[in-house]
Amino acid sequence: MKKPQINPKILGSLGLSINEAKVFEVLRTQTLGRDIAKIARVAGLPRMTVSDILHRLKERGLAERVTMKRRSNWKYKRGLEFMERRPVKW
């Protein structure tokens, strides 16, 4: 089951660059944390660029770093569900 799309107006108001939005979307659509190399491959960006972007997203509270089996992975920070589109019920 695919997660709902984030409203583009809200995503734009976060002030993310195009590359930051790509990385954020990869994190958001993955169920488990991913390492930098895998995020870079899926986003189509250089690994060092993704590393810098992840640290910026962490500072802004949009991503978090988790340790899984002595490896450092990154994931979408929960608590941002209010930004996801929900169908309007009349």
Side-chain angles (χ1 to χ4, degrees), residues 33-81:
R34 294 193 140 220
D35 63 5
I36 294 175
K38 289 179 184 175
I39 295 169
R41 192 174 320 119
V42 173
L45 297 170
R47 188 178 52 80
M48 292 305 293
T49 301
V50 171
S51 176
D52 291 340
I53 289 172
L54 287 170
H55 288 286
R56 285 194 301 254
L57 291 176
K58 181 182 177 186
E59 289 174 4
R60 296 173 79 181
L62 300 174
E64 61 184 331
R65 189 179 203 173
V66 294
T67 303
M68 300 172 75
K69 296 181 183 179
R70 298 186 300 174
R71 293 198 62 169
S72 180
N73 289 336
W74 291 86
K75 69 177 195 170
Y76 170 69
K77 184 149 184 180
R78 297 292 170 215
L80 299 174
E81 287 80 17

